Every structure is written in C-alpha cells, then in structure tokens.
Amino acid sequence: GDPALLKSLWSHEDDVTIFGGVGHSDSKGWKAVETSLNNAGQLHATDVVYTYEPIARQEGTTQGYLIQREHYNFSDGRTADLHVTVLLRKENNVWKIAHRHADILPAERKSDKSSK
C-alpha cells in the first residue's frame, strides 16, 4: 500500500538508479526512481509472499552490496523469481540503496532449484 517505508531505504540523490524495475524499465535520478517505487508500492503486503536466497554480500566503510535471488508469490497465482544486485552507500552514517538491478531468473535455473 504505502511506499513511504520502501522509499526511506533509498538515497534521494540524483545518481540513484533502478535497472529492471516495475515493468522492467530503467530509472535514473531520484524523481524517476521515486515514481518506480510508488508504482511498486501499490501492491499490498497481504497480496504477496516474498522470500529471498542470499548469494553474496560485502560491506566496506562507505559502500556495500547484496546479491540474492528473490521470489514473489502473488495472491492471484502469479510468481516472479529474480536475480537481484543491490548497491548501498552510507549517507549521514545510514546505509541507503544507490542502485538495484533485477533480472528474471531463467526457467532452467528455476527447474534446477526445484529438482534438488
């Protein structure tokens, strides 16, 4: 419903980016990213079950990253499985997202995972 919490996790600087956002579009700059996050925030938390599998992460003094697989199961039966990379940086001693890139997992990866 309310995307305010999601938006608070992001840097509001003009160099923030999302690749593969809602509708698989790319957004650059806070105004464009905020629009994408507003669209993503239209989905209510009760309408989706979200899980993730961490792959790698690294934290430096001012920058860090997360690499993970994300899985979304929507209440209407749809699913989405993504490879996700998130770049973070410290702003005023608080970690903020500076970039997120998401790609749909190839079908063969999903079938490999389910056969194990």
Side-chain angles (χ1 to χ4, degrees):
D2 182 2
L5 177 61
L6 180 61
K7 292 191 303 187
S8 74
L9 300 174
W10 280 79
S11 170
H12 292 191
E13 301 298 324
D14 286 334
D15 63 348
V16 298
T17 50
I18 295 177
F19 294 166
V22 173
H24 308 292
S25 63
D26 296 345
S27 302
K28 182 178 180 195
W30 173 242
K31 289 182 193 264
V33 167
E34 182 179 31
T35 298
S36 182
L37 296 174
N38 284 338
N39 292 334
Q42 292 176 355
L43 186 64
H44 292 275
T46 57
D47 294 335
V48 64
V49 174
Y50 166 80
T51 58
Y52 69 96
E53 302 169 57
I55 297 171
R57 70 182 209 183
Q58 181 70 43
E59 179 183 330
T61 56
T62 61
Q63 296 180 339
Y65 67 83
L66 302 169
I67 301 171
Q68 59 193 23
R69 289 185 186 99
E70 295 182 354
H71 308 284
Y72 299 84
N73 293 303
F74 300 95
S75 59
D76 64 4
R78 293 178 301 127
T79 63
D81 298 297
L82 307 172
H83 277 140
V84 177
T85 302
V86 179
L87 303 179
L88 302 112
R89 66 176 170 223
K90 277 193 178 173
E91 295 180 359
N92 298 317
N93 214 31
V94 176
W95 287 107
K96 295 291 183 171
I97 299 169
H99 174 76
R100 175 184 162 92
H101 184 174
D103 285 319
I104 296 171
L105 277 169
E108 63 272 10
R109 294 271 187 191
K110 289 190 278 186
S111 63
D112 287 347
K113 184 181 75 161
S114 63
S115 64
K116 291 183 181 179

